[in-house]
């Protein structure tokens, strides 16, 4: 038995992340070891969790992964923890297909209770039917209590407590209105100054939680059996437990990791670690490319550091030599931008030259391109998430397309998965927890010395 909870809200913007970060820091102050999780594919909140809990946060996404896999990784990462804290995404019942993939889906799958965070800034007793509805809408979702955010006064709190009593939902406390409280913008790299500000704000919210929320009662209400039982039928053979690596050479793997390339899934890292030894390098701070068998360039915020990256000529030359020599490399989202011809941070601004492996010219816009994605490469099924603010200018008739990329509903997207020699690049952050990344190169034709950008147009390989 250990306390396990999922923090959810009726709608986005209610204060889930704020409360989660503060609670994680409170648990650390109590001498407990919390294990944070995040519903969905968000790799920004997981970085915040890691900062608050001093423990790597893990994504739980029911579109990217099977139910059995989610249960497996939950049990794996939570095994040594004293408390398991899962932050939801969007509203409690918002999934990619009605309830599928929702926070409620995850709570049911893991058999963990839900603590609601409700923004009370513009409501009082009228919150009662909301609480009642969320508690009773699905009987397999156990709503054990609520924490109110943006409470204006003691009189306001009294009305909310009365609403809880009539709705049959435990009021666990509140966070007051704090007008000057502000987390850093989500679209920012966690450079040292931002981390310092984040730490100060997390400490501040933690002190408010200690004062206004009954944390001990919350933990008591959320005690549940651990580990969660797997759904049936369950086959451990579906999990990458290392047996499929028998006879393989142990690889040296380099991962780009710094404020410009920071959108990493912990499970992706741990899955790669099964293949060999991982080392990290920093394109932003001028690291040389290590001598390795595989390079992984993840997503991030190269647009925030375009001028600094532009100056990394030595690294760009090393990347070109590595790739021309047949080195294996996977570039996702911001990693693909690093391999492009140029990056323009604003319309009409300077086009900063990048590594110039692919002849793409990226320009930042105010329009977001986001959603779940899927692809199939010679029988290898891929699932991932795309989120960026870039437009891509592709020269006509000179790109290698490895395979098209589709939305969750099967509609074609504008940017496929590209391949040049042993390089795969695209704008999707793929999930590798259930898929063997090395299978990409098993599907690559033996001929890798063809021209990168032939004159005879797009080609499916």
């Amino acid at each position: 038995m250990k306390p396990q909870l999922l923090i959810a809200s009726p709608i986005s913007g209610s204060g889930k992340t704020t409360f989660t970060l503060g609670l994680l820091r409170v648990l650390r102050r109590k001498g407990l070891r919390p294990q944070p999780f995040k519903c969905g594919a968000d790799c920004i909140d997981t970085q915040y969790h890691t900062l608050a809990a001093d423990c790597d946060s893990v994504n739980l996404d029911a579109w990217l992964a099977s139910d059995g896999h989610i249960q497996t990784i939950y049990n794996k990462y939570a095994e040594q923890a004293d408390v398991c804290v899962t932050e939801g995404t969007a509203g409690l019942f918002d999934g990619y297909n009605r309830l599928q993939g929702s926070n409620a889906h995850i709570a049911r799958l893991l058999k963990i209770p839900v603590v609601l965070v409700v923004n009370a800034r513009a409501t009082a007793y009228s919150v009662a039917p909301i609480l009642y509805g969320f508690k009773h809408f699905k009987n397999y979702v156990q709503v054990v209590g609520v924490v109110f955010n943006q409470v204006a006064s003691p009189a306001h709190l009294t009305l909310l407590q009365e609403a809880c009593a009539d709705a049959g939902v435990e009021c666990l406390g509140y966070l007051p209105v704090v007008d000057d409280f502000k987390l850093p913008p989500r679209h920012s790299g966690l450079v040292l100054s931002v981390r310092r500000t984040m730490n100060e704000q997390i400490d501040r919210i933690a002190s408010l939680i200690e004062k206004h929320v009954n944390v001990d009662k919350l933990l008591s209400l959320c005690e549940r059996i651990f580990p969660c039982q797997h759904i049936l039928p369950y086959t451990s053979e579906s999990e990458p437990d290392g047996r499929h690596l028998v006879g393989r050479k142990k690889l040296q793997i380099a991962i780009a990791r710094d404020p410009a390339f920071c959108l990493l899934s912990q499970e992706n890292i741990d899955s790669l670690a099964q293949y060999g030894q991982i080392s990290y390098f920093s394109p932003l701070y001028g690291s040389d490319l290590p001598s390795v068998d595989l390079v992984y360039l993840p997503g991030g915020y190269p647009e925030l550091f375009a001028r600094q990256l532009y100056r990394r000529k030595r690294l760009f030359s090393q990347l070109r030599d590595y790739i021309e020599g047949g080195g294996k490399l996977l570039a996702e989202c911001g990693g693909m931008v690093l391999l492009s011809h140029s990056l323009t941070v604003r319309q009409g601004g300077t086009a900063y030259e990048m590594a110039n492996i692919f002849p793409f010219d990226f320009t930042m816009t105010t329009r977001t391109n986001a959603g779940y994605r899927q692809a199939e490469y010679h029988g290898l099924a891929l699932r991932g998430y795309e989120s960026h603010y870039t437009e891509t200018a592709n020269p006509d008739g000179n790109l290698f397309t490895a395979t098209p990329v589709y939305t969750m509903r099967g509609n074609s997207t504008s940017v496929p998965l590209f391949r040049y020699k042993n390089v795969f690049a695209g704008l999707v952050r793929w999930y590798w927890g259930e898929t063997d990344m090395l299978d990409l190169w098993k599907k690559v034709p033996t001929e890798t010395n063809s021209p990168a950008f032939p004159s005879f147009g797009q080609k499916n390989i």
Side-chain angles (χ1 to χ4, degrees), residues 54 61 69 86 94 107 183 199 242 253 262 286 298 302 312 324 350 370 375 385 394 458:
D54 195 25
D61 191 296
H69 179 71
T86 302
D94 294 328
L183 292 175
N199 259 318
I253 302 165
C262 56
R312 304 300 177 226
E324 292 302 323
T350 301
Y385 189 78
N394 297 332
Q458 279 201 342

Side-chain angles (χ1 to χ4, degrees), residues 231-249:
I231 57 172
L232 297 176
Y234 171 72
T235 56
S236 61
E237 287 79 6
S238 66
E239 294 303 320
D241 58 3
R243 285 175 293 176
H244 64 304
L245 304 178
V246 173
R248 274 188 178 171
K249 169 191 171 185

Side-chain angles (χ1 to χ4, degrees), residues 90-224:
L92 173 58
F93 297 106
D94 294 328
Y96 61 81
N97 182 15
R98 301 178 77 173
L99 289 175
Q100 288 180 284
S102 67
N103 305 323
H105 179 155
I106 298 295
R108 182 186 192 184
L109 184 63
L110 302 178
K111 298 179 176 61
I112 56 177
V114 172
V115 172
L116 288 175
V117 174
V118 174
N119 188 341
R121 191 179 190 100
T123 190
Y125 186 76
S126 290
V127 80
I130 296 173
L131 296 176
Y132 185 87
F134 271 73
K135 182 179 177 68
H136 295 284
F137 180 60
K138 292 294 180 183
N139 58 15
Y140 57 77
V141 177
Q142 305 169 42
V143 177
V144 297
V146 60
V147 174
F148 292 106
N149 191 22
Q150 302 284 321
V151 175
S153 66
H156 187 195
L157 177 62
T158 297
L159 292 172
L160 296 169
Q161 289 171 330
E162 291 170 348
C164 285
D166 291 350
V169 176
E170 187 78 37
C171 180
L172 295 170
Y174 71 99
L175 292 174
V177 173
V178 183
D179 289 329
D180 60 343
F181 176 81
K182 188 177 182 182
L183 292 175
R186 288 177 60 81
H187 187 243
S188 63
L190 280 180
V191 295
L192 186 60
S193 60
V194 175
R195 292 174 67 89
R196 188 180 300 115
T197 300
M198 279 286 295
N199 259 318
E200 292 170 355
Q201 297 287 38
I202 292 169
D203 275 334
R204 188 178 179 192
I205 201 69
S207 296
L208 289 173
I209 289 174
E210 288 176 327
K211 183 176 181 179
H212 298 296
V213 177
N214 191 337
V215 175
D216 290 337
K217 188 170 189 178
L218 182 154
L219 296 178
S220 177
L221 288 172
C222 294
E223 284 237 341
R224 294 296 185 275

Side-chain angles (χ1 to χ4, degrees), residues 6 22 29 57 88 120 137 175 197-198 211 219 285-286 308 316 349 387 401 413 415 423 431 444:
L6 190 150
R29 290 179 180 178
S57 184
F137 180 60
L175 292 174
T197 300
M198 279 286 295
K211 183 176 181 179
L219 296 178
Y285 296 128
Q308 293 97 311
F316 292 165
S387 180
T401 296
T413 64
V415 180
V423 179
Y431 183 67
V444 174

